[in-house]
Amino acid sequence: MHVGRLLFLFFACFTLAASGLAREPKAEIKKLSFKHTTLQNGLEIYSIEDHSSPTVAVQVWYHVGSKDDPNQRSGFAHLFEHMMFKGNEHLTPETFEKLTENVGGENNAFTAPDVTVYHEVVPSNYLEPILWAEAERMSSLALNDANFNSERDVVKEEYRQRILANPYGEFSLAIDQKSFAAHPYKRPSIGNIAELDAAQLPEVKAFHSTFYRPDNATLIVVGDFKASDLETWTKKYLGPITRPRVKIPRVTVDEPSRKEDRHEVLFSAKAPLPAFAVTYLAPSVRNEDEAALDLADEILSGGQSSRLYQSLVYEQQVAQHVSFSADLREDLGLLTFRVIVASGKSLPEAEKSLNDQIEKILKNGVSEAELDKAKNRFLTGKLMERETNNGKASALGEAAVIYGDPNHINTDLAKYQAVTASQIKDVLNKYIAGKKKVLIEYLPEAKKEAAKPEETEKL
Amino acid sequence: MKNGRSHLLLALFCLALGQDLFAIGGVDTAPPPAAPHAVSFTHPKETKLNNGLRLIVAERPNLPLLAVELIIRSGAEADANDLAGTASLTGSLLTKGTEKMSAPQIASAIESLGGTIFSSGVLDSSNAGVLVISSKAEAALPILADIALHPAFKQEEIDRLKKQSLDGLRVALQQPGSVASYVTGRVVYGDGEYGHAAGGTPETLPAIQRADIVKFYQTYYRPDNATLIFSGNVTFEQGKEYAQRFFSDWKTDQAMVSPISTTTGTWKPTSVVVDMPGAGQASVSLTKPAIKRDSPDYYSGLVANATLGNGFTSRLNREIRIKRGLSYGARSLLDARRDAGAFTASAQTKNESAAEVALLLQGELKRMKTDPVQGDELKSRQALLTGNYARSLETDLGFASQIAGLAVFNLALETLDKFIPAINAVTTKDVTTFSDKYLATPSSLVIVGKASAFSDPLKKDFPETRVIAQTDLDLNRADLVKRK
């Protein structure tokens, strides 16, 4: 629970489901009409009233993520996320469970590179108390050594479960670490045991006062409520929280452009099959190329009819797994190809197959049929997101905070619909052709003999 | 940090000020909840086609989506032990080619509609289904019918899937959690029909021949052993018409099969450690046979299980995660099946804490009897179960899958409406009776991890533990040890 590194997948899911509907405009999707208000203390509130089920989804998006981890404290934003459940003088630990799962709702949170999101679904009669509880933890936290240390142990177990118990956990961590040279995106959200151990209780308080403030937060409420009640309750509970006068610190590091290709080799005692990743630097999620890159993502690796699955997994059988992700974040992103090599095949064989596919799409572009397919899959994904209050709340939060434009939930379809096949070819060439790549190889320990010692690094 | 010290002090000052203001202007205690709003669900309708196929339609017109699932009441329990994985391969191969369409053509046709297609074989059931925008149903349904009624089982596809499954197993066998799930199956069921790995093992998958797959398909994939479920933007009349048009040709000339009768073998409590010297964590489980899905104890069992290990504030999570920080999450599962399924309580922890976690799991199972769930704790677990249930019905696929869960066990559709009142009617006495019978009695212990880190402390409380080296593990055998 209190997810951490799911973060990445979470956004991957959003970007994977790329597109609109070029040829068949009749399958219209209803616009979501939302209300927006800003409290005097700077808190942004977006809401959608929908009485189709007696539940309300509540999300608080804080504009702080693992890129804001303090120096030498990799994993701190995520560790902090766990501490947000530990309460203060008015808010006993487990209040969130008492107001959610114990009355039939649910709650969780996740830390992403750019944001930390706390989300609940409650029976609609619990909206007022859950808003009170969110206001309490926005206003202050009060931990002691005992609950700080014990929750830190939980986070270390989360690290062991996600990274150490998983044969490809360290491979996933290495992708960001090796792909960014300067930007704090190179530090994994989950952190590492040594830096988690180094964290001190007073740092929790400092992090709260620096980033957990109303003018750095966005409240999303979707479901069964009356607009007048929501207005009264948000004013009553969240209104009195003061806005500090100091500016919110922001990451301003510029990632330098790559001067040369890099080749990193890592070894694992647990990985039964070799794996490798190839990354290129990509633009911000707010860049105009975003829609075309998302559609390229879908065409290359969305579903079993995608290019990479068809060629590497199905036809040539050189890969046990292959994916491409346009992993675009607030400051910049990565275009990441990942391959786990099939047994009986060599890494160079798989690498050659991948390079052939990349060359082919850069040279010949994509077909109209592939583009239509990607747009149709995007539309279905968008409809599925609308099935639940929580799905709608996530979409609205992402639009407001990540895209910086709440209307994105209603305008993205047309944006994807307008993308042409030649644009997709152009953006892929823009970010890949002639650009410097980072190649990360992750090899079973048994292959270590074959590699040169100076190229190797033990995780 | 970008801001200097003076700014940081100012920030702390502002926070203190904020708290002061809050004490004056804000509210220090939680407001009470308002009166609850009632939950209501669609009532699905059903009928039967002439060929014996049961049809169930849930009209959910809210969004232009449609989920269609064909569920077969047989699966991996019907595998021969030395051909474990037959049901799983058979199910997965449906989308890999028909007499008319190749695997890439099927994937491309459905994905071009923006939809997804799936098929699988697991314990007690097999399935095939699609999720599409409802206006594309006319194009998607012939493909679903084709893969279910006319799979080709081409040798080339069988070979490809076997190879992919074996590579998947190679990865799974390096993860303590998945090794533990294979091992608990054997520990609870021994040679019984639920004992083998449903997805097959490194030894059985290569042994499965096309003839085994074809035979499995011909025996169990038949209209009178299946239910077709529509959930989404469709009317009952339209659903019937679709079913008639695409599934009424489905015939079988073989005699009806009765479901496999399973046994739990001769289970007795035992302790097993699988030594994985490289494991990054230890997986610790207590497990034992429990109840059938149609048992009168089912709802009491769900409440007992929820008290123990379902949800963040369950007893196991409270003791192991919240109080002691020993795991990212501790949980339990009551896996009610056609025959008696297993109860399993588990947590992953650092190797050094495995013995401590085993003892904590054991203590909490016993405490179900000595410290009965009642009052607010009981109410909270009932609310957790009914809330999770209501949310599972929010999506078209979720609703279809709840119906499929009933159809597999031949349970009446009214069971959908019974769930919430039945859970709310469970009393302290019901849970205690269930716990006496199934939880507080001895269980089997399974630990998969680096044995050198926990074998000494483990000896004290579990002296009779068998240690199996990872290299000696044989999932094909009830005793789990490779024959030398």
Side-chain angles (χ1 to χ4, degrees):
Chain A
M1 281 260 259
H2 303 156
V3 187
R5 171 92 202 168
L6 265 187
L7 34 116
F8 194 116
L9 287 176
F10 183 82
F11 289 103
C13 292
F14 278 112
T15 41
L16 261 180
S19 198
L21 47 149
R23 307 278 167 80
E24 297 171 66
K26 63 184 174 189
E28 272 297 327
I29 184 164
K30 274 188 218 147
K31 284 209 179 346
L32 286 178
S33 92
F34 59 88
K35 272 183 86 164
H36 173 218
T37 47
T38 309
L39 296 187
Q40 281 193 340
N41 59 15
L43 177 72
E44 304 281 355
I45 303 172
Y46 295 93
S47 61
I48 299 171
E49 210 176 316
D50 179 340
H51 301 278
S52 52
S53 86
T55 64
V56 185
V58 175
Q59 302 188 347
V60 184
W61 290 59
Y62 289 96
H63 198 169
V64 54
S66 50
K67 73 175 173 195
D68 302 298
D69 286 346
N71 212 9
Q72 306 296 312
R73 290 290 181 275
S74 181
F76 193 86
H78 169 248
L79 177 69
F80 181 88
E81 172 222 299
H82 279 244
M83 300 305 164
M84 280 288 275
F85 292 85
K86 293 296 172 184
N88 64 21
E89 53 268 41
H90 309 133
L91 192 70
T92 52
E94 291 157 49
T95 295
F96 281 88
E97 280 67 39
K98 286 176 193 146
L99 296 176
T100 58
E101 81 167 41
N102 291 7
V103 296
E106 63 181 355
N107 84 83
N108 214 326
F110 64 88
T111 306
D114 300 309
V115 290
T116 308
V117 181
Y118 300 82
H119 53 97
E120 297 97 31
V121 176
V122 290
S124 46
N125 55 322
Y126 276 82
L127 176 59
E128 187 182 0
I130 202 73
L131 290 171
W132 168 82
E134 284 293 8
E136 273 295 327
R137 68 176 167 185
M138 188 183 294
S139 119
S140 74
L141 276 188
L143 279 84
N144 54 42
D145 283 323
N147 57 19
F148 174 69
N149 290 333
S150 143
E151 194 61 30
R152 171 172 41 203
D153 284 345
V154 169
V155 173
K156 285 157 68 180
E157 290 297 348
E158 181 178 353
Y159 177 90
R160 293 186 186 104
Q161 185 167 326
R162 291 184 192 284
I163 308 301
L164 302 183
N166 173 351
Y168 295 92
E170 287 163 308
F171 175 56
S172 300
L173 282 195
I175 294 176
D176 279 0
Q177 284 171 331
K178 305 296 181 191
S179 294
F180 293 103
H183 196 283
Y185 285 152
K186 70 181 177 186
R187 298 183 308 202
S189 297
I190 190 77
N192 59 63
I193 299 284
E195 290 182 55
L196 289 170
D197 275 336
Q200 305 287 319
L201 183 54
E203 294 167 353
V204 171
K205 200 164 185 178
F207 199 79
H208 189 281
S209 59
T210 306
F211 294 109
Y212 281 71
R213 37 193 278 179
D215 54 342
N216 199 32
T218 302
L219 170 71
I220 312 285
V221 181
V222 177
D224 180 30
F225 63 87
K226 280 205 312 225
S228 57
D229 284 344
L230 183 65
E231 194 186 333
T232 307
W233 296 334
T234 49
K235 275 190 183 149
K236 183 174 175 185
Y237 301 115
L238 292 146
I241 303 171
T242 43
R243 178 208 310 238
R245 283 201 205 138
V246 288
K247 278 177 70 182
I248 304 164
R250 296 292 180 204
V251 170
T252 54
V253 178
D254 278 327
E255 176 70 13
S257 59
R258 294 173 176 174
K259 299 282 182 290
E260 55 192 12
D261 287 346
R262 278 179 66 197
H263 181 189
E264 303 274 353
V265 184
L266 307 158
F267 290 94
S268 162
K270 288 176 284 236
L273 300 165
F276 68 96
V278 176
T279 72
Y280 294 90
L281 293 180
S284 158
V285 69
R286 299 182 187 183
N287 185 285
E288 59 181 9
D289 292 333
E290 190 253 358
L293 285 169
D294 276 357
L295 289 168
D297 177 327
E298 184 62 42
I299 289 168
L300 279 165
S301 81
Q304 295 204 345
S305 65
S306 64
R307 285 191 174 205
L308 294 179
Y309 185 91
Q310 273 302 313
S311 55
L312 272 71
V313 177
Y314 187 82
E315 283 165 25
Q316 302 163 29
Q317 302 185 57
V318 292
Q320 194 257 342
H321 165 88
V322 62
S323 69
F324 168 69
S325 69
D327 169 20
L328 309 188
R329 311 178 193 182
E330 188 177 11
D331 298 347
L332 77 157
L334 287 181
L335 301 183
T336 305
F337 296 89
R338 288 185 208 221
V339 175
I340 297 180
V341 180
S343 58
K345 301 287 177 174
S346 71
L347 193 142
E349 275 177 278
E351 213 184 317
K352 182 177 182 312
S353 299
L354 177 67
N355 288 339
D356 289 348
Q357 286 303 314
I358 297 174
E359 242 170 67
K360 191 172 153 197
I361 200 167
L362 292 180
K363 188 165 167 243
N364 304 330
V366 303
S367 71
E368 291 297 331
E370 282 176 301
L371 183 58
D372 283 350
K373 181 174 70 175
K375 290 175 177 179
N376 279 334
R377 281 170 64 85
F378 177 76
L379 178 66
T380 310
K382 208 166 158 59
L383 283 168
M384 289 173 73
E385 181 182 277
R386 301 242 172 133
E387 289 189 282
T388 63
N389 287 333
N390 197 47
K392 284 180 278 199
S394 297
L396 189 51
E398 193 199 24
V401 182
I402 301 287
Y403 289 95
D405 170 20
N407 273 309
H408 183 84
I409 52 165
N410 291 322
T411 57
D412 58 350
L413 206 56
K415 230 169 73 183
Y416 283 102
Q417 190 177 341
V419 172
T420 63
S422 67
Q423 274 175 304
I424 292 188
K425 183 180 169 190
D426 291 348
V427 295
L428 286 174
N429 275 284
K430 179 170 168 188
Y431 296 103
I432 295 178
K435 301 293 177 194
K436 302 303 174 192
K437 70 177 175 190
V438 173
L439 165 66
I440 301 145
E441 295 183 352
Y442 185 73
L443 306 175
E445 194 81 52
K447 307 219 167 173
K448 200 167 188 173
E449 308 306 310
K452 288 181 205 154
E454 61 270 23
E455 282 179 4
T456 69
E457 179 184 338
K458 176 82 173 73
L459 272 173
Chain B
M1 203 176 299
K2 257 187 71 200
N3 291 328
R5 175 165 280 274
S6 61
H7 284 124
L8 182 66
L9 283 175
L10 184 62
L12 289 172
F13 173 73
C14 288
L15 180 76
L17 191 67
Q19 280 171 333
D20 261 11
L21 279 177
F22 196 64
I24 301 161
V27 181
D28 292 344
T29 52
H37 298 182
V39 185
S40 66
F41 312 119
T42 307
H43 288 265
K45 296 171 191 161
E46 70 173 301
T47 185
K48 209 165 233 184
L49 303 195
N50 288 334
N51 58 3
L53 178 65
R54 185 179 175 197
L55 170 70
I56 301 174
V57 180
E59 300 180 351
R60 297 163 51 89
N62 225 6
L63 285 169
L65 283 172
L66 178 63
V68 187
E69 182 171 348
L70 180 74
I71 183 108
I72 310 287
R73 286 190 296 275
S74 304
E77 75 291 349
D79 287 350
N81 186 52
D82 54 353
L83 298 174
T86 306
S88 170
L89 287 182
T90 307
S92 302
L93 282 164
L94 298 187
T95 56
K96 304 299 177 201
T98 68
E99 291 153 21
K100 283 187 279 186
M101 295 176 90
S102 68
Q105 283 170 334
I106 293 167
S108 177
I110 289 288
E111 289 170 6
S112 295
L113 301 172
T116 46
I117 190 160
F118 52 90
S119 65
S120 72
V122 296
L123 281 177
D124 288 339
S125 68
S126 303
N127 76 350
V130 291
L131 176 75
V132 284
I133 296 172
S134 47
S135 60
K136 316 276 190 187
E138 295 269 347
L141 282 167
I143 300 171
L144 176 64
D146 196 34
I147 67 158
L149 275 52
H150 309 288
F153 301 120
K154 282 194 199 114
Q155 189 62 46
E156 177 201 336
E157 294 295 344
I158 295 172
D159 294 343
R160 180 181 276 118
L161 184 62
K162 275 159 76 166
K163 192 167 172 291
Q164 285 170 349
S165 304
L166 283 165
D167 277 355
L169 264 178
R170 279 191 184 95
V171 176
L173 289 172
Q174 291 299 322
Q175 290 176 295
S178 38
V179 173
S181 68
Y182 295 128
V183 171
T184 51
R186 281 297 181 202
V187 164
V188 173
Y189 302 108
D191 283 329
E193 285 76 1
Y194 290 156
H196 63 264
T201 71
E203 295 75 27
T204 62
L205 284 173
I208 298 168
Q209 301 301 312
R210 181 173 188 275
D212 302 315
I213 291 164
V214 170
K215 185 174 164 218
F216 189 95
Y217 176 80
Q218 286 174 345
T219 312
Y220 299 108
Y221 284 68
R222 39 188 297 150
D224 50 2
N225 195 33
T227 302
L228 181 64
I229 300 155
F230 289 83
S231 163
N233 185 29
V234 67
T235 62
F236 182 51
E237 288 309 313
Q238 183 66 66
K240 271 200 293 196
E241 193 274 323
Y242 283 151
Q244 275 296 344
R245 183 149 37 119
F246 299 113
F247 290 88
S248 60
D249 287 348
W250 195 10
K251 293 275 157 47
T252 178
D253 47 13
Q254 305 206 4
M256 178 58 189
V257 289
S258 50
I260 295 287
S261 156
T262 61
T263 64
T264 52
T266 50
W267 177 79
K268 60 179 192 321
T270 167
S271 301
V272 178
V273 165
V274 176
D275 183 15
M276 273 174 81
Q281 225 180 8
S283 164
V284 185
S285 315
L286 284 180
T287 187
K288 58 177 41 164
I291 57 168
K292 298 183 184 189
R293 174 61 183 85
D294 62 5
S295 158
D297 294 333
Y298 178 65
Y299 298 101
S300 312
L302 287 183
V303 177
N305 179 63
T307 305
L308 193 60
N310 185 353
F312 194 79
T313 55
S314 66
R315 290 180 175 191
L316 291 176
N317 204 56
R318 184 178 297 285
E319 293 301 317
I320 294 171
R321 170 175 165 151
I322 300 175
K323 282 194 192 163
R324 295 180 177 82
L326 287 170
S327 177
Y328 184 42
R331 59 186 57 85
S332 62
L333 178 70
L334 180 68
D335 189 20
R337 306 208 144 275
R338 183 171 299 120
D339 215 315
F343 168 83
T344 306
S346 63
Q348 282 191 207
T349 186
K350 58 185 177 295
N351 287 300
E352 294 72 23
S353 331
E356 184 184 359
V357 166
L359 210 57
L360 286 167
L361 290 172
Q362 198 179 53
E364 287 309 306
L365 260 69
K366 285 186 189 150
R367 192 160 73 86
M368 288 299 293
K369 185 176 175 179
T370 56
D371 183 7
V373 61
Q374 53 195 318
D376 285 348
E377 189 187 17
L378 175 60
K379 270 193 219 143
S380 82
R381 299 301 92 183
Q382 289 167 321
L384 168 109
L385 287 165
T386 57
N388 286 350
Y389 180 71
R391 276 195 306 283
S392 77
L393 298 175
E394 282 183 337
T395 64
D396 288 340
L397 265 182
F399 205 101
S401 128
Q402 284 289 352
I403 294 174
L406 300 177
V408 166
F409 303 116
N410 272 331
L411 295 167
L413 268 184
E414 291 72 54
T415 316
L416 275 180
D417 282 334
K418 271 194 204 150
F419 186 90
I420 291 176
I423 289 293
N424 287 333
V426 172
T427 64
T428 295
K429 189 164 169 286
D430 296 334
V431 178
T432 310
T433 308
F434 181 90
S435 301
D436 283 355
K437 206 162 148 189
Y438 298 104
L439 304 185
T441 51
S443 307
S444 290
L445 171 71
V446 173
I447 305 182
V448 179
K450 182 180 164 187
S452 61
F454 55 77
S455 56
D456 282 346
L458 192 70
K459 271 179 208 149
K460 196 161 73 76
D461 298 291
F462 301 91
E464 302 290 302
T465 302
R466 276 199 305 146
V467 180
I468 303 170
Q470 184 179 12
T471 46
D472 289 338
L473 184 67
D474 185 345
L475 297 173
N476 307 298
R477 295 173 51 82
D479 67 5
L480 291 159
V481 182
K482 266 185 197 155
R483 261 188 273 206
K484 304 267 172 182

